[in-house]
Amino acid sequence: MSDLTGYSYSRGEIASQAWVDVGTVIAVEVVGRVAGSGDTADANADSRHVFITVQLDTGAHISIEQAVDLDDPIHKGDRVKLVSEGGVTRVVTAAPLMNQ
């Protein structure tokens, strides 16, 4: 799979159960890797990876590396969901809860 953002899923992952944790991003670091070429300083923005560190609402910290999502970038201070399924965890922005 070439799209490694928080919103990319394989056919086998569709409609499968996932565990969800919620937290706040405390750091986002650009890794700058381009698939197949190792670490480079001049990587294209759409092929960069970020290392996202989240403080979960439980107080625990977790870090995930994933591709930059140019349509929904994640920033320090954002509320996010960590969606874990089949050994893969994705970080996605948490939509505000309605009717609360």
Side-chain angles (χ1 to χ4, degrees):
M1 176 171 34
S2 61
D3 181 7
L4 301 175
T5 67
Y7 293 101
S8 61
Y9 289 84
S10 69
R11 181 179 302 268
E13 294 171 316
I14 305 241
S16 61
Q17 179 177 334
W19 295 102
V20 178
D21 288 303
V22 180
T24 302
V25 176
I26 58 174
V28 178
E29 303 168 70
V30 175
V31 177
R33 289 194 311 184
V34 177
S37 65
D39 291 341
T40 63
D42 61 346
N44 294 327
D46 62 354
S47 61
R48 287 190 178 181
H49 288 215
V50 288
F51 194 68
I52 304 166
T53 303
V54 177
Q55 181 172 0
L56 301 176
D57 288 352
T58 63
H61 291 83
I62 189 166
S63 293
I64 303 293
E65 182 182 344
Q66 68 186 33
V68 171
D69 185 341
L70 297 176
D71 294 326
D72 191 18
I74 294 174
H75 303 93
K76 182 177 178 181
D78 284 353
R79 293 287 292 163
V80 293
K81 295 185 292 187
L82 282 82
V83 182
S84 301
E85 185 269 324
V88 174
T89 300
R90 297 168 176 85
V91 181
V92 297
T93 54
L97 297 175
M98 303 308 250
N99 300 324
Q100 295 210 1

